[in-house]
Each structure stands twice: as C-alpha cells, then as structure tokens.
Amino acid sequence: MNSSLYYVPGHPLTRRAFLGRSATGIGAAALASALSGFATPARAASETNTWRGVVQPLHFAPKAKRVIFMTMAGGMSHLETFDYKPKLAEMHGQPMPESLTKGQPIAQLQGAKLTCFAPQHPFKRYGESGQQMTELLPKLGEVADELCIINSLKTEAINHDPAHTFMNTGTTISGRPAMGSWLLYGLGCEADNLPGFVVLTSNGKYGQGQPIASRQWHSGFLPGEFQGVHFRSQGEPVYYVTRPRGVSASQQEDVIRAVEGLNRQRNEAVDDPEIATRIAQYEMAFKMQTSVPELVDFRQEPAHVLEMYGTKGGDGTFAANCLLARRLAERGVRFIQLYHRDWDHHGGVKDQIKGTCGEVDQAAAALIKDLKQRDMLKDTLLVFATEFGRTPMAQGNGRDHHIKGFSCWLAGGGIKGGITYGATDDLGYNAVTDVVHVHDLHATMLYLLGVDHERLTYRFQGRDFRLTDVSGEVVKPILA
Amino acid sequence: MRLILLSCLAALGLTAVAPLAAEEPVRFSRDIKPILAGKCFACHGPDEAERQGDLRLDTQAGALESGVIEPGKADESELIARVLSRDPDMQMPPADSKKPGLTPAEVDLLKRWINAGAKYDAHWSYAPPSRPEVPPVDEARKEWPANEIDRFILAAQQARNLSPAPDADKRTLIRRLSLDLTGLPPTPEEVEAFVQDTSADAYEKLVDRLLRSPHHGERMAMFWLDLVRFADTGGYHSDNHRDISPYRDWVIEAFNRNMPFDQFTVEQLAGDLLPMPTNDQKIASGYNRLLMTTEEGGAQAKEYIAKYQADRVRNVSSVWLGATLGCAECHNHKFDPYTTKDFYSMAAFFADIQEKAVGRQDQVNVPSSRQQAELAQINARLAELRGKLEAPSAEIDAAQAKWEETAIAELAAARGEWRPQKPLEVASAGGQTLAVQDDLSVLASGANPAKDTYTVTLPAELERITALRLEALTHPSLANKGLSRANGNFVLTELTVALVSADGGEEKPLMIKSVEADFSQPNYPVAQAIDGNKQSGWAVAGHEKPADHQLVALLAEPVAGAAGAKLVVRLAHDSQFPQHNIGRFRLSLSSAEKPGLTSPSGIPVDVGLALETAAEKRSPEQQATIRRYYRSIAPQLADVRKEIADAEAQAKSLEEASRTLISMSGSPRMVRILPRGNWLDETGEVVEPAIPAFLGKLNVEGRRATRLDLAEWLVAKDNPLVARVFVNRLWKLMYGRGLARNMEDYGTQGSYPTHLELLDWLALEFQASGWDVRHMLKLMVMSHTYRQSSAASRETLAADPTNDWFTRQDRFRLDGEFVRDNALAISGLLSRRLGGPSVKPYQPAGHWQFLNFPRREYVHDQGENLYRRGLYTYWQRTFLNPSLVAFDVPSREECTNERPRSNTPLQALVLLNDPTYVEAARAFAARIIREGGSEPAARIAFAFRTATSRAPTEREVELLTALLEKHRAEYAADPAQAAEVLKNGDGAPPEGIDSVELAAWTSVARVILNLHEVVTRS
C-alpha cells in the first residue's frame, strides 16, 4: 500500500527532480549556504503535490466542486422543524394507530404506551416559494428560496452510533470509509496546504451531548491519506501542528530542511520512491504549520461578516465553525463536515429544540448568504441533515428516535431551491411519497460532484465496495 | 516512474494476476475464474436469487449444460461471441451492469482455456493441500538455497529468467531480523557483535536469540490483536472501559512459549469448554468477548444479539478461514459457495455464550497462572508479616499499657460530647436487612429497594439530650466501597426524631432547630434533610469520593431522658434516584450545649467502648480488640505495617489486573436464519451449529455441536484453509507481502497465490511440525529468499516490478506501534516491562471530549508507563490515541487483516511535534552527549549507529554538524529558550548537562528520529 495522497503518478514531480535538487541543494561545498537555505520559506512549486482522484475524467459534468455537510447530531425532530403535521396536533394525546407502529423498530419507548404528541411549535410560510418551516428558524426562512427541503428521508439504524455510521458510510458495520473519504479518494484535493476532508465539531446547551466516534470520519479500508482531519475549535486546531516548546519557527524549519536533506542524500543511495513521497509530506507538514494558524485567524474577517454569522470566532460554536467552513471552502477543501451535537431531545422537546434551533439558525443562513455573495454557492453543495428523526409519539414531553421518515435540506450547487420534496404520512411516521433513502442522498451528492455512485468503487475482501453499498438512486427531481 | 505507477496501481487494487508465461497451461481457478467472477458471477453465479437466464458459470455442470461453452471450440462457443459482441442485446456483461467489457488478454485466456477443453478445477484453497515435490536445484545455483523455501522460489524465478538478489549486508540483516522478530531495533553493541562474529552459524545464533526474546511474543501479539480486534473499550456509543488486558497478556505468553497453533486456536475459541479448564484457558476464551458491545439506552436487545452474532461470524471466518462469510448474512455469497444457512449455522456455535445484549458486561477475577504464582508469594509474605505484627512482645505490651491511660483520658473528653447508641430496634420499610455491628453502626444488606425509610429506636436514657448525630459510614460491601448500594452516594430526603416516654404511649415529635454537616454535595445542602420536602435532600457525592460524613441535628428544646424512654429516629430516602439509601450509619446522642461535628478522638468506637470498660471487667474479645488496635498504631511496628500495606497494595493491584472477560457457557439461544438479515423477521428456519456445508460435516453423533467442535475442526488435518491462511500471514510478516497477496479473502475473489506449491508445502510443514509457529518463522528467516538485499537492479525492477517472484526483499514503513517503540528504544527511554493493564501515554488535550455517558478526561500516566511499548497503549476504540492513528494503527472495531501503509503529512507532524518524540529526542540527545565521545563527529556517528545501525556518511555528518552549530549559537544567545526545550514531556531533564548543549543536540536528535530510514525496515 504505497499510494500517497500528495504524490501521484503522472504528476510532474519525478524522482529525478528530487535527485537534481539534492545535487544542488545540500552539497558539501555549499554547506553554509545550504543551511541558510533551510530558512527559505517557499520551495519550488514542483514539491507541492495534491491527489487528483481516481475518477478521471469525471463521469458527469459536475454541478458542485465541494460539499459542506452539516450534521445535526442527536436526531433532529422533523416535526418541529421542516415537516408540518396539523393532523398530529389534532390527534394529540390519542393512541398512535397500531397499524403504523406494530412490529416496527423502536428505541427507548420499548414496551411503552404509544400516544400522539402534537408539534410543539407553529410553522409558517417563508420566501416567494412559501416553504413551510418552523417559526424557530426565521433566518433560514430568509433564504428559504435557496433550500430544497426533503421530508421523506429514511435510514436503517435507530441508535445514535450505528445511525451516524450509516449516514456517513452507507452501512452500520464499522471499518468502511466515510463519505468524505470516498469523495477525496474519487475526486482528489484542490488545496495544496490543507487536507481535503476536514471535520468541525460543536456542542450545544440543550440536548444530550451524544458521543461521536472518530470512525465517523475514518477512511476505513481506504488508505489512511483519505481520512478526515478533525480541526478543533479550541486548543491546537490540528493535532501536533504546534512546534515543541523552546523551538523557534526558523529552528523548526531548519529541522525539517535537514530531514529533507538527509532523506535526499539517502535516496541517492537506495533509490526508493517512498523517500520522495516522505519528502513531499514533510513539505506539506511544514506548510500546514503556517496555513492552519492563518486559517483559524478570524481577525481578517470584517466586522459585518462576523456579525452576520453571530460569532467572534475561536469560541467553539456552530457559528464559528460555519465561518471556518467558508474559509476552508475558499481554500479548496473538498469535503467539510460540521457536527452540532445538541439535538437529542428525549424530554422537554418544546424548550430544548427552541434553544438548539437558536444555536444554528443564524449561522447556517449566514453561510448560504456569504457563499452567495462570493459567488461560491453555485458550486458548493450544502447539506443540512441528521442521523434520524424523532417519533410522532410522546416520550414524556419529548420524542424518541425515529428512522422511518425524517427531514433534511440541501442547497447550492446543482440543487433546485425553494422546493419541498417527498412527504411522510399525516402523522409524520412513515415516509410515503418520493421516499429518499440515505443511499439515495449519497448517490445524489456524488452525482452533483460528477461521479456515478456505482462506479466509484474500491476492492476489499474480494468485493468492489461503494458508498451506496448495493442500492441508491439519484433523486433527479431536486436537481436544478 | 514505472515503479511508482505500479505500486499505486497495486494500492488501488488494480493489478491483475501476475502475467502468465506463454507456454504455461491455463488453469481455471487461477486464470479463468477471476475473470468470470468479476464479470459474470453476479448474475450467473452461486446466488440463486440473482441468477439470470438460468445460467451459472461457477460450476462445470452449469456451464456445460447451458451449452454456452463448446469444449475445444472457442470460436463456436456463445460465451466468446457474447463477450466480443457490441450489440446491446447480446453483449456481456450488459451495459446496465456498468461492468467494463473483457480486455483482449482476458478474451485470449478464455479462448485458450476453452480450446484446451474448458476444464474446471477446484478452487485452490478449498481442496486440501497435497505435499508438492520440492523442485530440484539447478547446478549453477546449487550454493544458493538454504532450505526448501529457496528451492521453490528459485525454480519459479528461473522459469522466468529471473535471479535472486545477493544477501543483504550484515548490518541490514540484523536490523531487519530484530525489527521483524521483536519489533525493536538492535543496539549498536549487538550490531557490532554480529558483524564481528564470523562463525558459520552466526546468523542462526542470532535468529535463535531473537526468537527466544520476550519481545518476540510482544511483536507477534501485536499482529494477532489486530485480527481478533482486541481493545480496552466496548466500541459502541459510550465506548466504556472493559477489563480485558489478561487476554492480551495470554497472547504474548502463548507466543513466547511457542504454544502450538492448534492449542492456541482451541483455547481461544473454547478454552472454557475444555475438561477442568485452567484459569489461563479461561482467559484465552476471552477471545469470544472481544467484539464491540453497546450500553446505549434504547438499544433493542434483539437487534444487538443479531449484530453480535454477525460480528463473531465475520471474525472467526476471517481470522481462521480467510473467508468473507460475513457476505452471507443477507443472501447467499455471490462468489463463494457459502450460504446464508452456513452463516447462521456458524453463528449458532456461539449461541451458548452468556452476555448482556445491552449493558455493562460482567467481568470476573481470573488470575492467570503467572498472577496466581505472584499472588501466592505475596500472600505468604503477608502471613509472615502479620505474624510479626501479632507476635508477643513485652516491650510493646508495656507501651500499650502506657498508651491506654492517655487514650482513656482522650476518650473521656470526646465522650463528653457524643455517646454512640446501640439501637434497640431497627426497621426498614423497604425490606432491607439492617444489622447492628460491633461498632454500633447499622449495615444494610439483602433487598435493595428504590426508596426506603429506616425507623431506628434508641434508648433515651441520658439525663439531658440536646442533639443527635448521624454518621454515614463507608463499607466494602457497598457500591464503589462507598455509602450506598446504588452508586456509593445516598440522598437523605428527611430526618425526623420523636420521643416515646418510659410509660409508652404516643410518639411525641421533637423539633429540630438546626442541622449542620461536615460536607454537602452542591445542590444537596444538609438543610434539605429537614425541609419537609420529600424530593429534596442531603447528599455527599459518595459516588465520586467515598468517605465518611456526618450530620448533627440540634434539638429545639433539650429532652430529659429516663430509663425506659426511647427516641424514634426516621431516615427517609425518597429522592428520584433509585437505591440511594444510606448503606451504613451510626447514631449518637449528646448532652453538650453545642456539640461539635467531628469526634476529636480518632479511636474507633468499638475500641473506645472496650477502653471505657474498666480493665478488670473487659471481656477477652475486648482485650483482643484493644491489643489489635494498638498494634495498628504502635510506632515500634511502623516498618512492619508499611511492608504489609505495600504487599496488600500489590495484591490488590494484581487482583484488579486479573479482572477480565471470559466465555461462560450456558443454555444456547435459539438461532434462526434472518431473512435479508432482518432481525425483526422471525420466520426463518431455526439452525443448529454447523460448519459451512460445502466443507463437510462435523461428526457429532446426534448431539449439538459446540465451539470446541468448531475449534477442533479448524485445526484438523483435513481443513484446507486454516494452515494455509496462517502460514501466509507469517510469510507476509517476514517478506512484506503474502504468497497469496490478498490477506482478507482466500475465496474466489481473492488472489491466486504466486507460489501455490510453496504455500501448500509450508501449510503441510506447519501441520507436520505440530503447528510449530517458531519452526515456521525460523524456516522463513533462515532462507536466502529472506536474506536478500532490498535493493534491486534496474533490470530486476523492470522484469519483476511488483516483486511477485521475490527477487529482492521488501522495504516498508514500520507499523505505528513500532515507530514509537523504535524511538523510545533509541532514546533509551523504553520500558521493557511485559504485560499488565493498558497504559496511557501522552495524548493531545481534549481528544476524548466527545466521549459521553460518562464524560471522561484523559489523564496520561506518570513515570515508566509513559514509555511502555505501543501495544500496551489504552485502546479506546472510538478515540484511539491520534499519534498511533496517524500511522495507520486500526481502532480494532473489526478484524484487520492488513494495515494500509500510508505516508502522510500528519505522520511528519507527529514525529516532529508529539511530546513522545520530542522527549525521546531530548533523552537521545543526552545519551549522545554522554555516550558518544566528545567531538561532534564522533557523537553524530554514535547517534547514527544507534538509530540506523550504520555509520553516517561524511556529508551526513557535515549537514548535522552545521545544524548543531547554528542551533548551539542560537540557544547560547537565548538560554531561556534552551531551558524551554527541557520542558517538553514529563521526564526530568538529565543532570549535569548544559541546557544549551542539550537543546542543540536535541535538534540533531529530532532530525535523526524523523529520518525515513529510521522508520523503515529494509
């Protein structure tokens, strides 16, 4: 497994380029100048190498170049956000029809009496399109005409951990690549100083903070180059990017240049392409030590932008992550995934969801507006989704996990805005019209990026695996 | 460029079977089946449900009956016409399958095969191996082969006009062997000794030494633990801790004792089912408990039972059979003859294992034989020490007599305030057993109700009663050795006191004026114990910090006691938290005006009672109580007590370390075939344990087959897969790639071995040797094939670009744990201690922030545990240490047959900035300064020899010297920065070395530890 994300067949960088450099770079005669050369900030462009992906050429003309995937972790209630169910309100307190619930999977309500529980907040119509959404999301309402709301999503796992794994990898079995890893593997990376798949996380104050495993952004059986890199909002933004204590920036560069120099010398003796790759990776590591602090430095953002998102940055909020996502998108990162862990509302859903909606509304809307004003919305696909929805049945004054019908929205590159697609039944239990399975969502996402989901495969355990497992249909009616 | 391209293709899984020499006969299973399996079997293969046009091509009968193949006549065969056709109605594979058409080379192979008679042969791995003839040695090369391995390898090379590479030099060989067999680099002394040893068997002696090293077991265990998915946590959701490290230590020990692989197999799968199993065998059976488990509230038991059984089938079939039986969970296998019935029948073997579908698994204390021996030693020592403590001594008796006088005076002073009362009656509304102890405390046991109210009747005989004291006392029988049987904490929601006068009659409630406590948990102030509110109460965080606590209630009006009068005290526990009832308590009364909270005397109550009894009236028990207590505090015995405490602590940590998960067999669950894998569907056929049908049948004479039967079948002589799969794994460890390349799949979608005869020969040799793992490893490393240089000529690279024919050794990056071990070994920091609970080395702050239920904070260990080998790292499945993850170390949620070997910028960041490596560099710098002579050149040479086993070149020395001088000058100009360098990591900086010098050499050491060569085995 000698592949490398940043060193690719066909790239102009060849082994000879390294040999040539080593001959003139750190030679015995010019040692002093070589060492002062350590401090030269920029190396030749030929030493920057980015993975270009295995899908070449693309299967379709792409509509989007990158994805910002907002995961409302914990299980966002569709009934209090995007799926308007007046009938459920009428039936409040009455028994849930057994015809719907019998023999169906159920989580914490196992063995409990199942009664209808009215939507806890009013809905209203927004925008020219008149999209129906909760009153709790007024800022998103301002961009309602950009949104394609899907009210007929279905998934297969009813507990948080497997449900996230399903949403991210297309299966509940561990060890498969996350969707970001698939995209990076298939499409490559445009950034030469940042990873191609970045994960951002934030906590809220209202729901239970359900754990999230790092497997959710792991590359599974794909090579390690393709795993998501977790950017943290507090402390070191990327693990190990901070140089050791007592080592100045120039000394750190000396060390890196010396490693590169000695590796080049060694390569003259043993002629090993892995060494060339190693040198390129030290170069990238070196760049990240500058690019990452620059990336998270929000001081360059004008006040009105900070105000629009509702953050000062660096505060670990969802809003700060939305702004960071825009900055990552600008820098060519392929797949940016945000987790907001505040949606598990088993009890007190009325107050809790109000709080949680308040944590995301302004920033998610700001992200759309900001991308639009930078003319990046047209080729950025935004997905606002969750691992599952919540029961129309009461769990005390909250709702339990629900997988048979729930909501998400998409916006941006290649998406028809201002429409609502698919529907659940009158009580919001089963997705019944234009059902969209998680596999379909994946297939559609890949399609918009120019990839046929059936043809992006990787051979493992004797089988060609894909993100969509053995199913998935592109949801054509939502495409612009 | 070519090599890079090919290695990338290999990484992408695009390489085809090694090219066939033109004159070699076409073999169905090697040459044809991969084509058909890739392009045709999905619709024309074993899965009946998906089969199209009633055509199956995976069996000879199916293919011939259908008439699409005319043996001997390729041009008349419809199969050929179809794959060549461009007509959308005709062409195969059809366009909508999205499978690309056959290449001309593939069509050519199909034609050659049909023209040769279209003969099918059994898939290579499903037929038992037959001992192949060892190829004769060519006269010209007769010096080369060291053993049979070389003869097979050489014959295959010569058939392709290839030749082996010369042996690597001795420095490379000892480095390669040390890393391959122990995962640690050789010391410079070991290298020199080997280089100097010119005896004929120098190499073999080295091999034997390394195979006997205790680190060999660690190296092999690391490989095995990936397969069986060993980890310290449950994996799902809250990903909580489970005790399982004894299993890991058993694996290390098994490899160090060279346990035969058949026994190794049986003990893991069924150690608990062996007659009179030893503790070690029970620990081995922990294998069956290594899977991911959940504790998530709301998880459905049936769903998780289905998940667990599938997990076990995937693992056992992958580890031992190299099979992808997991594919048959929902449908018959698309490419191999495994059926869904096989899948669920395999699951049924494990249906006897007792476990919780959802919740914390039960762990048990099972000391291993090693631990038992240690424990016996400690206990013998303890008995001896306790004897010393008890031994008669006039001197100590005299001291005791003196002490008693002062103690009695002390007690009298204290007693003035509080008198513990022996309850007349104790009652529990919730049915708990409340028993009065010798020290007058009351201990709860038996029923454990969610809520309870205690009614305690005390004698009210003091002349004047001003206050009541309630002591909540810890006890070993309580949860967390704390204060309740819930989680160690209690909530006292209401305390009331009433008086019953000597002549009986009604209870008269007594007003409590105020309460105070020595401690109250935030939000649970003591005043809530008398606020009349049933929900609120007093609590003391006993779940977090189990300790004795007390409450003092001052009566509004003093009460005059009398003989026969009684106080009735009620302790109510009505909070929302179940079972938060006080587990042990004691009540005392006082006559003092303002009695204090704590008793000023540290003397235990029972000792105090004995002391207060006049000496001549003391019972023998009371005398013994006093004597025992005095000896627990006598200054003359302090040393003995310290030794006892140390030994007890050792015994305790051993006992804790012996807690583990083992297999416990019970009546087996019913196992059904789940249609489409749907656990809600209960219509499927009920199945009994059975091996995959096409591989035979167990001879169990009508009884239900067990895990032991399964294990014995796996290691039976006629099992075609197990020996092949395992020797192929060993081969990969020693040569960098398998004889069958695909480590995950030995079925039809796997790769045909490049050297099937050699693989079979090795498999049979393995069985014939009594499954002797070390014998096989020695055979491999003694071969010249192993000893070859990893450098290859341009001609060899062109002729054998992906090293299919082993024309050289492989070069590869060390596994993540070994990258760490290597740096620690070079620096001299490495702890070489074997086994024990997993350890917590440095980890970036906040890495565990997304763990919940409960939240956890990672606190790295202190001292030696920071420098243990990587394999002992605490394996938190959902958030494994990122320093390891960067180097492709798996989370072990599923079987890992093969780790990727990536080369990423994150690896560079780890080696540059992780405190583990910075501290190692600093320790290495100190070694260089101390042991490397006084001149920079000599020191750099020492550093190179230590880290790479070779001397540096002149240019290397020059470069590093220049770096050293530059940084020395910079640190000399800024000594504060140099002092900062010493603060990386926890270890104390070395004494007697100038910090500027040390900081500058640390830069040099960092460069060396970052070199590609240092993290590479070549």
Side-chain angles (χ1 to χ4, degrees), chain B residues 430-433 445-449 485:
Chain B
Q432 301 197 56
T433 307
S445 62
N448 193 7
R485 286 191 283 156

Side-chain angles (χ1 to χ4, degrees), chain B residues 870-881:
Chain B
L871 107 139
Y872 300 116
T873 303
Y874 192 80
W875 225 271
Q876 183 82 39
R877 272 180 163 139
T878 56
F879 283 93
L880 183 59
N881 197 305

Side-chain angles (χ1 to χ4, degrees), chain B residues 44 83 315 333 382 509 625 660 755 823 837 925 959 961 967:
Chain B
H44 304 298
V83 299
N315 195 261
H333 202 286
L382 268 174
T625 302
T660 193
H755 300 70
L959 194 155
T961 309
H967 284 203

Side-chain angles (χ1 to χ4, degrees), chain B residues 239-255:
Chain B
D239 195 23
N240 271 307
H241 173 82
R242 43 158 75 162
D243 295 305
I244 189 69
S245 59
Y247 169 84
R248 184 240 290 128
D249 293 346
W250 178 88
V251 174
I252 295 172
E253 182 91 0
F255 280 112

Side-chain angles (χ1 to χ4, degrees), chain B residues 1 21 62 85 247-248 305 334 359 393 446 478 493 686 713 723 746 752 756 762 809 867 925 959 1016:
Chain B
M1 242 5 254
S85 171
Y247 169 84
R248 184 240 290 128
I305 287 169
K334 300 270 185 210
S393 159
L478 302 175
T493 51
V686 174
W713 169 74
Y746 291 73
Y752 197 89
L756 178 58
L762 289 167
Q809 253 289 2
Y867 314 112
L959 194 155
T1016 303

Side-chain angles (χ1 to χ4, degrees), chain A residues 268-290:
Chain A
E268 289 173 39
V270 299
D271 196 10
D272 179 355
E274 275 294 293
I275 297 184
T277 308
R278 180 83 54 204
I279 292 168
Q281 306 303 26
Y282 271 77
E283 193 59 35
M284 171 80 165
F286 173 70
K287 286 182 180 167
M288 280 174 69
Q289 296 192 117
T290 326

Side-chain angles (χ1 to χ4, degrees), chain A residues 1-4 6-7 9-10 14-15 22 26 28 31 35 38 51 54 103-108 110 158-162 172-174 185 201 203 208-215 217-218 222-225 227 229-230 232 236 238-248 250-252 254-256 258-259 261-263 265-266 268 270-275 277-278 281-282 284-285 288-289 341 401 452 454-455 458-463, chain B residues 1 3-5 7-8 11-13 98 235-238 292 296-301 303-304 307 314 318 324 327 329 335 679-680 742 744-745 749 794 811 813 844-847 849-853 855 877-883 885 888 893-894 897 900-915 918 944 950 953 955-956 958-960 962-963 966-967 970-971 977 980-981 983-984 1003 1006-1007 1010-1013 1015:
Chain A
M1 213 50 96
N2 290 327
S3 69
S4 157
Y6 307 98
Y7 187 64
T14 64
R15 193 169 60 243
S22 71
I26 298 171
L31 185 67
L35 267 170
F38 282 174
W51 171 256
V54 292
Q104 295 301 322
I106 200 156
Q108 296 186 5
Q110 289 173 63
I158 199 165
N159 304 117
H160 298 287
D161 183 337
T172 59
I173 295 174
S174 307
Y185 170 68
T201 50
N203 296 333
Q208 293 189 70
Q210 290 294 340
I212 296 206
S214 56
R215 112 169 57 84
W217 51 89
H218 198 270
L222 289 176
E225 284 92 330
Q227 60 183 288
V229 174
H230 184 196
R232 304 185 306 162
E236 264 185 314
V238 173
Y239 288 142
Y240 309 117
V241 82
T242 312
R243 60 178 187 271
R245 300 177 72 169
V247 176
S248 69
S250 77
Q251 288 173 327
Q252 180 83 339
D254 290 345
V255 166
I256 293 171
V259 172
L262 292 180
N263 278 342
Q265 288 187 19
R266 184 66 184 160
E268 289 173 39
V270 299
D271 196 10
D272 179 355
E274 275 294 293
I275 297 184
T277 308
R278 180 83 54 204
Q281 306 303 26
Y282 271 77
M284 171 80 165
M288 280 174 69
Q289 296 192 117
R341 303 192 313 153
H401 307 168
D452 179 349
E454 293 183 359
R455 286 160 69 194
Y458 191 86
R459 177 63 65 96
F460 175 68
Q461 291 184 341
R463 195 188 131 192
Chain B
M1 242 5 254
L3 179 61
I4 300 165
L5 181 64
S7 64
C8 288
L12 305 181
K98 304 206 175 163
Y236 283 114
H237 193 244
S238 57
M292 301 222 298
E296 179 170 357
Q300 300 164 100
E303 182 178 9
Y304 280 84
K307 278 186 197 292
R314 286 197 300 274
S318 192
T324 56
C327 294
E329 183 176 0
F335 307 107
W679 58 273
L680 288 164
N742 188 330
E744 285 125 16
D745 189 359
Q749 293 289 93
R794 303 225 163 240
R811 290 193 275 239
R813 201 234 317 121
H847 183 55
Q849 63 178 315
F850 298 121
L851 288 174
N852 202 353
F853 310 115
R855 290 186 188 286
R877 272 180 163 139
T878 56
F879 283 93
L880 183 59
N881 197 305
S883 181
V885 175
D888 301 313
E893 298 182 334
E894 283 283 320
N897 282 287
R901 285 208 176 98
S902 66
N903 187 341
T904 67
L906 292 185
Q907 290 169 7
L909 290 175
V910 169
L911 291 179
L912 286 167
N913 300 334
D914 177 354
V918 182
F944 251 83
R950 69 171 172 92
T953 65
R955 285 168 63 203
E956 286 165 339
E958 280 169 22
L959 194 155
L960 286 173
L963 175 78
K966 177 168 184 278
H967 284 203
E970 288 167 0
Y971 283 122
Q977 278 294 89
E980 277 293 298
V981 173
K983 292 180 189 157
N984 288 294
S1003 290
R1006 286 179 67 214
V1007 171
N1010 272 275
L1011 292 182
H1012 182 80
E1013 189 179 356
V1015 296

